[in-house]
Amino acid sequence: MKKVSKLITILCTALFFACIGKTHAQTGINTQTPDVSAALEVKSPDGKKGLLIPRVTTAQKTAIPTPATGLIVYDTTQKCVSQNAGTPAVPNWICLGKDLLTSFFYMPAVAVDASVLATGKTLNLYTTYQSQFLTPKKASSGAPASLPYFPNATDLYYYITNCDDTVIKVNSITADGILNYDIIKAADYGSFMNVVFVVK
């Protein structure tokens, strides 16, 4: 009787540890050996099938309550895989996988005071862009209240592609978008500066 009781105890203990081991294992669909770095691995047995993620319109996507950071859906309106790069409280939906021709954009218009001579002036290109995208003056009917924007200043490269160099002398641009410049000749707002952002 003692031997049977001891055997049952050993079997129960082994079964317990086997169950614990299973709860930490990866899950595989069409594979018995999912990659150890993956929580879930899906394989196509014939190589002719893909993964279909939830498909929603932009309006449905922006109506998701407290979406997790990193949540991914396919946006049927924008025709892109869209990820919440923000937080659940403040979502920031961005399109992933844009091609090279759409991976740059011009900075929104901003007035640079060139009416008086000055040295070492600064303009935060990133926060200017972010604030305009967060609070546009007007949107078309049914459009989200704000535009998607890149969540970190260092997500972008910053370029001055052209400017009136008789009025503005560009000294430097930091990696996080702080422009340092001098006004070398007083002018009116007819002077210009073209700023291009490139997605890293």
Side-chain angles (χ1 to χ4, degrees):
M1 189 69 172
K2 280 187 177 180
K3 285 184 179 180
V4 172
S5 177
K6 188 173 183 180
L7 183 59
I8 290 173
T9 302
I10 291 170
L11 286 173
C12 287
T13 303
L15 184 61
F16 172 76
F17 283 110
C19 289
I20 289 176
K22 284 287 186 189
T23 61
H24 295 291
Q26 293 77 37
T27 300
I29 297 175
N30 294 326
T31 178
Q32 294 295 317
T33 56
D35 190 280
V36 295
S37 66
L40 172 65
E41 180 177 350
V42 181
K43 285 196 175 176
S44 173
D46 59 3
K48 296 179 181 177
K49 293 180 177 62
L51 177 67
L52 189 58
I53 62 175
R55 293 158 289 170
V56 296
T57 64
T58 298
Q60 291 170 322
K61 175 184 73 178
T62 55
I64 297 172
T66 60
T69 299
L71 185 69
I72 294 175
V73 296
Y74 182 79
D75 186 317
T76 57
T77 307
Q78 296 183 336
K79 295 183 173 44
C80 71
V81 174
S82 186
Q83 176 187 11
N84 178 19
T87 64
V90 185
N92 177 27
W93 292 99
I94 60 171
C95 280
L96 304 177
K98 290 290 188 183
D99 62 37
L100 183 60
L101 294 176
T102 59
S103 63
F104 72 92
F105 57 99
Y106 283 95
M107 178 179 176
V110 59
V112 175
D113 184 2
S115 61
V116 294
L117 300 181
T119 58
K121 293 188 69 128
T122 59
L123 173 64
N124 190 322
L125 300 174
Y126 175 78
T127 57
T128 303
Y129 139 76
Q130 183 190 45
S131 66
Q132 289 192 30
F133 273 47
L134 274 172
T135 56
K137 299 294 182 194
K138 200 74 175 169
S140 61
S141 178
S146 64
L147 294 159
Y149 65 92
F150 288 89
N152 302 300
T154 52
D155 290 338
L156 303 164
Y157 294 119
Y158 303 85
Y159 295 89
I160 306 297
T161 58
N162 202 1
C163 69
D164 185 349
D165 53 17
T166 64
V167 173
I168 301 169
K169 177 178 175 277
V170 175
N171 299 318
S172 63
I173 310 173
T174 64
D176 53 353
I178 307 296
L179 170 68
N180 183 288
Y181 64 97
D182 300 335
I183 303 300
I184 56 177
K185 183 178 93 174
D188 58 22
Y189 285 115
S191 292
F192 66 90
M193 179 185 297
N194 292 341
V195 182
V196 173
F197 294 167
V198 175
V199 181
K200 289 185 179 178

